Structures are given as structure tokens and as C-alpha cells.
């Protein structure tokens, strides 16, 4: 896979210096609209921005966020400051659409790209100090508990756009805090299972698996089955390319989203369909539940899975997982869309040899009310954090800021962004669940059907798990990642590791304030306990 974004990083730096040196940070200036640069329904392509962008052409969909409409705006002489994640994931589309926005509106746009580990502090610290550091911010949506007081609610005129009305209910919920939409949806993230369908459907592999295990080779329905399938294939050349395959690729690196991988594994053990009130804390006492039996069993499973990982798999970051599965090394993985979209790139040898499926479930689920295990098939779709965006209350020209986000997420740009695996833009609108769209990108009918069915069914589930969205969430998740990493490394047994996490969570809660955390966590619980059918 070629990455053509080194030049983009340099260009970003130059743009930032130019914008800082040459533009005014003065008051907002409302100018009359100018003649549009595009005709309604014009062809849109990224081809002119470099050979690493697809040559695909789509139509500009008429509407208030279209190229035609936004090109009517005259923002000449005005500046927009944006902070986003490092290139490429979400950072690259942020810069690309900023460049386009400059070209068609005359605005001066400065984009600052920041590594994940620094992004929270770079955004929150200036806001808490009352400083106008950035007008537009891109960040993980689970930070809403920290950032909500500083965000400008999305104006009704943008909520009424066709693109916004097409956003799924789940992701409008994610954008909402205390009844107000304060985040602008640009991405929809879920964890789900990806498998190599060519291997699973190979008669020789099916016969060998049945002979070895006495069971049919199929897409795993439980984590126990996932482990069995992964263990069978690890170290074997299952796809005939002359290189060994491995059963599973997982995000295991302590500071690279391990907490999300662990929650995926824990979901069916801890999210009981008949027990309401959340899984991370007891809402009445705010006692952490992270060290209860369901979470402990999930960590035990994750530790056992080490034997199925590729060399170095105990320190895989998200990029490693993407290219291990997307590059054909691992036969299964679970996390965000990126690994699946990577496998489906036009030049990939395993294109159309993959299948999407729900996260594995379990045959038992822990009932925290009775403190017993209930024997029952259980699945719990995990809506893990996705990238989102917002406008700061302190932004001097909020219309320009919202116009940028409106343009970023318009139908034409999103149609192209969804097909570029490294961009990190995943389905979040109802129209994205149309298999025909993906078939137009060259996906086989069966692959497209498995993909949209898996994502759409998650929206309908009544047993869903959302991320912990409370003040101090970075501290909670960092502590969880440390505990998981310690267990994987063999430094602590799973129970001990999660007992230590629970103690740290209790300390963080005391530091932030029990009532403050409880009030925020109720928002999460209300999403999970709502009837979504």
C-alpha cells in the first residue's frame, strides 16, 4: 500500500505558517454571496490532488452543503483554525477538505495535525483556560463529557440539511449532550468481525478443521469458537501464498486503543439484555464494575488468544491490525472498518475474499443483579467511539466554521472518503447501508451484502454497548489499557489487573466528583437502555 501523504504533511506545515503569518484573526465579516463556481450536479473527484487518491468521480448532490452552494460563500480575508488527528486517519481528509474549502470560498484555513496521545490535552487545555485556540475541532466522540461545556450547539439550519437528517439515530445520539446536538457527525464507528471468506469456504480447509475439531468450520458465533478457529489456523499457510497465516489480529498496544479491543471482547459477557443500568459503574453507588466476573473472563480470553497472534502481535497498534488482516496475514480481526476497507482496496490481492459479521457473542452472560452466570446465547453490538467534530463557542465566525463541517461531510465528499481506508471515515448515514453503493465501488454482491447487513443490524439491536462518555474518560481508559497490557504481558493475572483498574477508577471518580461522573454516565446508560427496535 502506497502512502502519498508525506507531501501532505509538508504542505500542511506550510499552510499553517502561511495562515498564521498572513491572515487576520479579526472579527467575523459577513459578505454577500458570490456567483457559484460549480453547476448543480457537477462531477467531483480528488484526482487532481495526487495519484494516491482514487480516480473515482461522483456527482455533487444539490443542497446547502454541496460544492455549488458552499462556493457561493465569500470568506476572503477571514481565517479558520482547525485541530485534527495526525495524518492520515481523519487528519488527511481534514486537510484535503480544508484545501478545497479555501479554493472555493477564499478563506484562509490553518490545520494543525496532532498525534492521538496529545490530542485531548491540546484541545481541552486552551478551552478550560478560556483561550480561542481553535474554531473547529476533530476528536474522539467519547470526549464529549469533557468538551460539551465549550461547544456551540449545531444551528437548526444545519440540522435541517438532508445529509444531517440521513444520519442514523445512534450517531445523532452520540452527537447529543443534555438534549442538544453539540457534535457534528462525520464518522460512524462500530466494532465487528472480519474473516477471510476464501479460507472459510475452502473445501480442504473445512475438511481439515472438521477432522481436527469434530466441528463445522464457520464464522465464529462466540469468543470460545473464535479462539478455537484462530488456534487451528495459526502458523499454517491457509491461503496458499507460501507464507504462514495467523488466526487473529487484535489491537493490543497499551497506548493505541487497547481499551476498545478489550471492551469488544467483554461486551457479551457483561451486557445482559435483562439487566439495565449500565456495565461500567453501579449508578447508585458509582462503584466500578470493571473487575466483575464478566470483564475478568474477557481478559482471560484475551490472554489465551496470544498463541494465535502473528509475531509481535502482543504489541499491535491499530495500524498493525489494519495491515495484518487487510494485507492477508491474519484470517480474522475485529475492530473498526479500516481493516475491512483496506482488504477491499482495488489493488489488494484479497479483495472480495472477505466477509463481515457480528462480533462474537457468548453462551453465558454475567448477571450483576443476581451475581450469577446465566446460560443463554448473548450478543452485544459495541458502538465504540468514532471521530466527530465540533465548533467552539469562542469561534468568531461560527457560520464559516459550520459551513466547513457541512462541506466536509457533504454527500459527494463522504462517498469518496468512505472508500479510502486510511481516511478513517466510516458509515454513519442510512444511505451508507445501501449495498448498491458498495457494489459500484467494485465489491462483489455477497461482500457488500455482508457488510451493510452487519452494520445495519447493529442499529436495530436492543442490547447495545456504548463507550464510557464521562468527564475524565481519557484517564479511565488509560487505566484500563494499562491493566489489560499488564495481563497480556503476564505481569498480573486478569483478576489482579482489573482489581487495580477498579481502584484507579474509584480514585479518578473521587477526583472529578461522584455526582458529576454519575450525571454524565446516566446519558450513556439512557442510550443503552432505550428500545431501538
Amino acid at each position: 500500500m502506497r502512502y502519498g501523504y508525506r507531501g501532505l504533511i509538508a504542505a500542511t506545515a506550510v499552510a499553517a505558517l502561511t495562515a498564521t503569518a498572513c491572515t487576520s484573526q479579526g472579527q467575523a465579516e459577513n459578505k454577500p454571496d458570490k456567483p457559484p463556481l460549480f453547476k448543480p450536479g457537477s462531477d467531483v473527484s480528488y484526482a487532481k490532488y495526487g495519484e494516491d487518491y482514487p480516480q473515482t468521480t461522483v456527482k455533487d448532490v444539490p443542497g446547502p452543503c454541496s460544492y455549488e452552494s458552499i462556493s457561493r460563500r465569500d470568506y476572503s480575508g477571514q481565517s479558520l483554525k482547525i485541530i485534527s488527528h495526525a495524518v492520515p486517519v481523519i487528519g488527511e481528509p481534514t486537510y484535503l477538505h480544508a484545501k478545497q474549502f479555501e479554493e472555493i470560498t477564499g478563506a484562509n484555513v490553518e490545520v494543525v495535525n496532532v498525534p492521538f496521545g496529545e490530542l485531548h490535552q491540546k484541545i481541552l487545555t486552551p478551552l478550560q483556560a478560556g483561550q480561542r485556540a481553535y474554531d473547529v475541532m476533530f476528536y474522539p466522540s467519547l470526549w464529549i463529557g469533557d468538551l460539551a461545556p465549550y461547544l456551540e450547539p449545531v444551528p437548526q439550519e444545519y440540522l435541517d440539511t438532508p445529509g444531517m437528517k440521513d444520519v442514523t439515530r445512534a450517531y445523532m445520539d452520540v452527537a447529543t449532550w443534555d438534549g442538544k446536538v453539540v457534535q457534528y457527525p462525520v464518522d460512524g464507528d462500530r466494532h465487528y468481525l472480519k474473516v477471510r471468506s476464501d479460507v472459510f469456504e475452502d473445501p480442504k480447509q473445512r475438511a481439515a478443521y472438521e477432522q481436527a475439531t469434530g466441528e463445522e468450520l464457520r464464522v465464529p458465533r462466540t469468543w470460545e469458537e473464535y479462539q478455537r478457529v484462530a488456534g487451528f489456523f495459526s502458523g499454517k499457510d491457509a491461503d496458499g501464498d507460501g507464507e504462514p497465516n495467523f488466526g487473529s489480529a487484535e489491537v493490543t498496544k497499551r497506548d493505541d486503543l487497547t481499551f476498545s479491543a478489550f471492551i469488544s471482547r467483554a461486551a457479551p459477557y457483561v451486557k445482559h439484555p435483562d439487566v439495565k443500568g449500565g456495565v461500567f459503574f453501579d449508578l447508585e453507588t458509582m462503584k466500578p464494575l470493571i473487575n466483575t466476573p464478566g470483564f475478568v473472563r474477557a481478559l482471560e480470553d484475551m490472554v489465551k488468544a496470544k498463541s494465535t497472534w502473528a509475531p509481535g502481535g502482543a504489541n499491535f497498534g491499530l495500524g498493525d491490525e489494519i495491515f495484518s488482516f487487510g494485507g492477508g496475514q491474519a484470517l480474522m480481526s475485529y475492530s473498526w472498518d479500516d481493516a475491512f476497507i483496506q482488504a477491499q482496496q482495488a489493488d489488494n490481492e484479497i479483495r472480495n475474499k472477505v466477509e463481515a459479521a457480528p462480533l462474537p457473542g457468548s453462551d453465558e452472560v454475567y448477571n450483576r443483579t443476581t451475581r450469577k452466570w446465566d446460560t443463554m446465547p448473548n450478543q452485544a453490538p459495541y458502538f465504540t467511539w468514532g471521530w466527530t467534530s465540533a465548533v467552539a463557542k469562542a469561534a468568531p465566525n461560527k457560520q464559516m466554521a459550520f459551513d466547513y463541517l457541512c462541506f466536509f461531510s457533504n454527500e459527494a465528499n463522504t462517498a469518496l472518503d468512505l472508500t479510502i481506508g486510511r481516511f478513517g471515515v466510516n458509515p454513519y448515514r442510512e444511505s451508507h447501508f445501501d449495498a448498491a453503493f458498495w457494489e459500484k465501488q467494485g465489491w462483489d454482491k455477497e461482500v457488500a451484502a455482508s457488510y451493510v447487513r452487519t452494520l445495519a443490524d447493529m442499529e436495530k439491536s436492543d442490547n447495545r454497548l456504548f463507550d464510557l462518555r464521562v468527564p475524565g474518560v481519557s484517564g479511565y481508559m488509560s487505566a484500563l489499557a494499562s491493566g489489560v497490557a499488564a495481563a497480556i504481558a503476564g505481569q498480573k493475572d486478569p483478576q489482579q489487573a482489573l482489581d487495580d483498574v477498579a481502584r484507579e477508577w474509584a480514585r479518578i471518580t473521587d477526583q472529578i466528583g461522584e455526582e458529576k461522573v454519575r450525571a454524565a454516565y446516566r446519558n450513556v446508560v439512557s442510550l443503552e437502555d432505550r428500545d431501538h427496535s
Side-chain angles (χ1 to χ4, degrees):
M1 176 67 183
R2 291 175 300 154
Y3 273 118
Y5 52 79
R6 289 191 180 88
L8 199 59
I9 296 173
T12 304
V14 171
L17 291 172
T18 302
T20 302
C22 302
T23 65
S24 167
Q25 304 297 329
Q27 297 298 311
E29 182 180 358
N30 293 319
K31 299 180 180 180
D33 282 352
K34 54 185 176 61
L37 301 177
F38 299 84
K39 295 179 180 180
S42 296
D43 288 339
V44 174
S45 171
Y46 297 164
K48 77 173 188 177
Y49 297 102
E51 62 178 12
D52 289 295
Y53 293 109
Q55 304 301 302
T56 308
T57 297
V58 298
K59 294 292 184 182
D60 185 30
V61 178
C65 301
S66 67
Y67 279 75
E68 184 264 337
S69 293
I70 297 298
S71 71
R72 294 176 182 272
R73 304 292 199 192
D74 184 357
Y75 290 127
S76 58
Q78 299 185 64
S79 66
L80 190 65
K81 300 180 68 175
I82 302 173
I83 186 169
S84 187
H85 185 239
V87 169
V89 178
I90 216 65
E92 189 173 353
T94 300
Y95 176 77
L96 173 63
H97 299 318
K99 183 175 180 63
Q100 294 171 317
F101 191 78
E102 280 188 330
E103 293 171 353
I104 67 177
T105 69
N108 295 295
V109 185
E110 175 186 355
V111 177
V112 177
N113 296 103
V114 179
F116 185 85
E118 302 174 19
L119 189 59
H120 186 267
Q121 180 181 0
K122 293 283 188 181
I123 291 176
L124 185 59
T125 300
L127 291 173
Q128 291 176 327
Q131 300 172 355
R132 180 214 160 198
Y134 304 102
D135 305 310
V136 175
M137 299 159 288
F138 289 84
Y139 58 88
S141 60
L142 80 169
W143 293 353
I144 192 172
D146 287 325
L147 300 180
Y150 310 102
L151 305 181
E152 181 71 15
V154 179
Q156 191 64 41
E157 64 182 285
Y158 296 93
L159 294 177
D160 289 339
T161 61
M164 189 71 82
K165 288 184 175 180
D166 193 32
V167 174
T168 70
R169 180 177 177 181
Y171 283 98
M172 287 307 299
D173 285 344
V174 166
T176 303
W177 193 257
D178 284 341
K180 295 181 180 180
V181 179
V182 295
Q183 296 183 151
Y184 206 105
V186 295
D187 176 37
D189 280 358
R190 316 148 185 83
H191 276 193
Y192 61 92
L193 180 61
K194 300 101 176 166
V195 303
R196 282 283 298 278
S197 55
D198 59 329
V199 173
F200 278 64
E201 295 168 4
D202 183 341
K204 291 182 179 179
Q205 299 298 343
R206 294 173 67 86
Y209 183 80
E210 185 173 359
Q211 183 177 9
T213 67
E215 298 183 1
E216 174 191 3
L217 177 60
R218 64 183 185 182
V219 175
R221 299 177 187 176
T222 66
W223 284 111
E224 182 181 6
E225 191 173 2
Y226 183 95
Q227 173 71 14
R228 190 159 53 246
V229 173
F232 174 79
F233 283 114
S234 281
K236 299 177 182 177
D237 179 10
D239 57 9
D241 67 355
E243 299 291 335
N245 294 107
F246 295 90
S248 176
E250 310 185 34
V251 180
T252 56
K253 190 175 182 181
R254 181 220 171 278
D255 57 353
D256 199 338
L257 311 177
T258 301
F259 64 86
S260 285
F262 172 66
I263 293 170
S264 273
R265 280 185 165 274
Y269 294 130
V270 301
K271 186 67 174 68
H272 197 298
D274 300 325
V275 178
K276 306 300 182 183
V279 302
F280 293 114
F281 291 97
D282 182 315
L283 265 177
E284 292 185 8
T285 66
M286 288 308 292
K287 179 181 178 181
L289 302 175
I290 197 66
N291 60 337
T292 51
F295 285 107
V296 173
R297 181 173 293 185
L299 190 49
E300 290 171 347
D301 284 355
M302 202 167 185
V303 172
K304 291 176 185 175
K306 289 170 62 176
S307 63
T308 73
W309 298 340
N315 197 38
F316 266 18
L318 178 59
D320 300 306
E321 183 257 348
I322 290 171
F323 289 105
S324 183
F325 178 82
Q329 180 191 46
L331 301 182
M332 298 187 294
S333 75
Y334 63 94
S335 74
W336 293 269
D337 275 354
D338 308 283
F340 196 81
I341 301 300
Q342 178 62 32
Q344 286 296 99
Q345 295 298 295
D347 59 350
N348 199 319
E349 292 182 359
I350 65 168
R351 190 183 202 200
N352 290 319
K353 298 179 180 179
V354 294
E355 179 181 345
L359 277 177
S362 62
D363 291 325
E364 287 186 308
V365 56
Y366 186 70
N367 187 324
R368 65 180 178 83
T369 301
T370 63
R371 298 185 180 183
K372 295 180 180 179
W373 287 92
D374 290 340
T375 301
M376 57 187 293
N378 191 48
Q379 282 191 312
Y382 175 34
F383 281 72
T384 184
W385 67 269
W387 294 105
T388 192
S389 60
V391 172
K393 285 183 177 179
N397 191 335
K398 296 179 179 63
Q399 179 178 320
M400 177 167 61
F402 280 113
D403 275 350
Y404 168 76
L405 293 177
C406 180
F407 173 75
F408 179 107
S409 60
N410 72 27
E411 289 86 341
N413 284 336
T414 304
L416 293 170
D417 292 350
L418 285 169
T419 66
I420 304 174
R422 67 182 187 269
F423 270 24
V425 176
N426 304 141
Y428 62 98
R429 290 178 174 144
E430 296 290 350
S431 56
H432 300 162
F433 300 147
D434 181 1
F437 168 80
W438 299 100
E439 289 177 43
K440 289 178 183 178
Q441 315 309 316
W443 293 23
D444 281 354
K445 185 175 182 178
E446 294 79 9
V447 178
S450 76
Y451 181 67
V452 300
R453 181 176 60 249
T454 297
L455 271 57
D457 285 352
M458 292 177 70
E459 294 279 340
K460 303 172 186 175
S461 172
D462 286 333
N463 197 40
R464 307 188 301 185
L465 182 62
F466 283 82
D467 269 315
L468 181 65
R469 305 193 310 158
V470 298
V473 67
S474 289
Y476 288 112
M477 294 298 100
S478 178
L480 178 57
S482 294
V484 171
I488 290 174
Q491 297 167 350
K492 300 177 183 177
D493 67 55
Q495 183 70 65
Q496 178 189 4
L498 293 180
D499 285 345
D500 290 346
V501 173
R503 279 190 284 272
E504 180 61 13
W505 278 26
R507 187 195 67 77
I508 294 171
T509 301
D510 288 343
Q511 183 181 39
I512 294 172
E514 184 177 301
E515 286 305 318
K516 188 175 181 180
V517 178
R518 179 187 286 111
Y521 189 49
R522 279 201 182 101
N523 282 312
V524 181
V525 172
S526 68
L527 296 182
E528 294 175 346
D529 290 351
R530 184 183 301 163
D531 182 358
H532 300 283
S533 59

